[in-house]
Amino acid sequence: MNELTERVRQRFYGLIHRNPGWSLEQMAAEARCSLAEADQACDALCAVGLLVPSWSAPCGYVTVTPEAALTRLFSAEERQTEAHLQHLARIRGAVASLIGGYPRLHDERRESVEIETLPTPELVNAFLEDAGSTCGVRMRSMHPGGPPPEELVDAMLLRDKEMESRGIRVETLYSRRTAEVPYMAAYLTDAERIGREARTADYLPLRMILFDDDLAVLPINPQDSSEGASAIHGQALARSLHALYDYCWHTSTPLRPAAPAAALAEELDSQDLIVLRMLADGVKDEAIARHLGISSRTLSRYMTGLTDRLGVHTRFQVALRVAELGLLD
């Protein structure tokens, strides 16, 4: 807005307010502007509601207070807005009526797929726990990359045992390098004994876990599993992922069978059996060392050799192996 023009408008507003008996020509002379400029100033003041035309006023206008002008402007805008909203409502109703009168042909070719985002490892683990508890027929998992932390192995075996007790078929694929890590080799051997079928491959394309035929869990970022995962509900995509899994499964290598239980049992002497029973009963290492009359360091070396012969790494795996060999009978 031109500063000079605004000053002329303000002066005209004051002249008309203070001199209601003056003509427009008198006000133009007082304001030292042309009659055309005076008309333009009055038009601008009328546009914002500060002047209203009046046939009885010599100059043709009367002033309106700024407060009243502002109120009138807002009232006019509100009326226009309300009228516009009513118009939109009529259009919306007409469109809804039109759409409702035709079959939704595109929807007939669509299957429902719901994607649930799990942005943190904690949410992923909680979701997998719930999904495993409600799984009804089978769970299939594919694990490229490195092994999980060793401290998680016992929890993994417990989960496998629980699923096996419910008759759930469990298949798992690991990279060959991961399966060669000693504690993972022991885990996979023990897992197979309690109902899980495991295989290895040189290359696996994607980390995924499939529950039954309608749920898949995939990483948000395949390069970094710490960024969370997506849970995909629906058979449409799950079927394709099962097909990919089938291909990887049939091109993978089954684990080598474990040594026969009877052969392992023959290698154990009476002291070995005592220690194994104590481990299976949860007796602490200090108590076992006192019972054998040896130091804790000697017991540690002895335990390492014993668990190596059994092909296990944790107390829980020892308990499973002892039960398999029938040493608790």
Side-chain angles (χ1 to χ4, degrees):
M1 180 181 296
N2 186 285
E3 184 178 350
L4 180 60
T5 303
E6 180 61 27
R7 194 179 307 133
V8 171
R9 292 172 183 170
Q10 292 176 358
R11 188 163 187 186
F12 257 89
Y13 179 82
L15 288 171
I16 295 172
H17 181 71
R18 289 189 298 268
N19 306 286
W22 285 17
S23 66
L24 192 60
E25 290 79 1
Q26 290 175 298
M27 294 181 186
E30 180 66 21
R32 298 180 181 177
C33 67
S34 67
L35 190 58
E37 290 175 326
D39 283 330
Q40 290 176 0
C42 291
D43 289 342
L45 291 169
C46 285
V48 295
L50 290 172
L51 291 183
V52 293
S54 173
W55 299 110
S56 61
C59 68
Y61 302 96
V62 293
T63 59
V64 177
T65 64
E67 294 80 7
L70 189 61
T71 300
R72 291 177 181 176
L73 282 174
F74 276 121
S75 296
E77 290 295 328
E78 288 171 354
R79 288 193 298 272
Q80 290 182 7
T81 301
E82 180 63 26
H84 183 63
L85 291 175
Q86 291 177 0
H87 180 63
L88 287 178
R90 288 192 295 271
I91 293 175
R92 185 181 294 112
V95 171
S97 176
L98 180 64
I99 293 176
Y102 292 89
R104 298 182 177 181
L105 299 177
H106 290 290
D107 291 348
E108 294 177 1
R109 295 184 297 179
R110 295 176 181 171
E111 289 193 41
S112 176
V113 174
E114 177 185 345
I115 299 179
E116 182 177 355
T117 301
L118 309 167
T120 66
E122 293 76 16
L123 285 174
V124 174
N125 291 335
F127 182 89
L128 292 176
E129 190 74 22
D130 291 342
S133 299
T134 57
C135 183
V137 178
R138 64 175 175 172
M139 183 188 81
R140 314 175 88 184
S141 60
M142 182 185 297
H143 304 278
E150 186 172 3
E151 59 269 18
L152 296 181
V153 169
D154 286 352
M156 292 161 61
L157 283 170
L158 283 171
R159 181 198 59 207
D160 297 341
K161 182 70 174 177
E162 188 278 330
M163 297 191 78
E164 186 270 338
S165 69
R166 293 190 287 119
I168 307 301
R169 179 183 174 185
V170 179
E171 298 175 357
T172 185
L173 281 166
Y174 279 94
S175 69
R176 186 163 287 114
R177 293 182 63 182
T178 293
E180 290 171 354
V181 176
Y183 70 83
M184 283 302 297
Y187 158 69
L188 292 172
T189 300
D190 285 335
E192 283 215 315
R193 294 192 189 102
I194 58 176
R196 166 177 285 202
E197 189 175 358
R199 295 189 177 189
T200 62
D202 290 323
Y203 172 76
L204 295 171
L206 179 68
R207 185 180 302 276
M208 74 166 101
I209 303 178
L210 307 174
F211 295 94
D212 294 329
D213 296 323
D214 57 0
L215 174 59
V217 180
L218 306 176
I220 293 175
N221 179 0
Q223 307 303 320
D224 187 358
S225 58
S226 68
E227 294 184 16
S230 296
I232 303 171
H233 303 263
Q235 293 187 359
L237 184 57
R239 283 194 295 265
S240 296
L241 293 172
H242 274 291
L244 172 62
Y245 192 97
D246 286 336
Y247 174 81
C248 295
W249 182 261
H250 293 308
T251 57
S252 61
T253 304
L255 293 179
R256 288 176 296 178
L264 284 174
E266 290 177 0
E267 297 178 5
L268 304 174
D269 59 25
S270 58
Q271 179 172 285
D272 295 334
L273 296 177
I274 291 172
V275 172
L276 288 174
R277 289 192 181 98
M278 295 178 75
L279 284 172
D281 290 337
V283 179
K284 295 184 178 299
D285 290 354
E286 295 83 359
I288 296 175
R290 286 196 302 271
H291 180 82
L292 298 179
I294 59 177
S295 68
S296 296
R297 180 174 297 179
T298 301
L299 176 67
S300 178
R301 290 197 297 270
Y302 171 76
M303 291 283 292
T304 299
L306 181 58
T307 54
D308 284 347
R309 275 188 287 160
L310 292 174
V312 298
H313 284 75
T314 70
R315 283 178 174 269
F316 184 72
Q317 292 172 325
V318 167
L320 288 175
R321 199 74 167 116
V322 167
E324 178 200 338
L325 295 173
L327 301 178
L328 299 179
D329 299 336

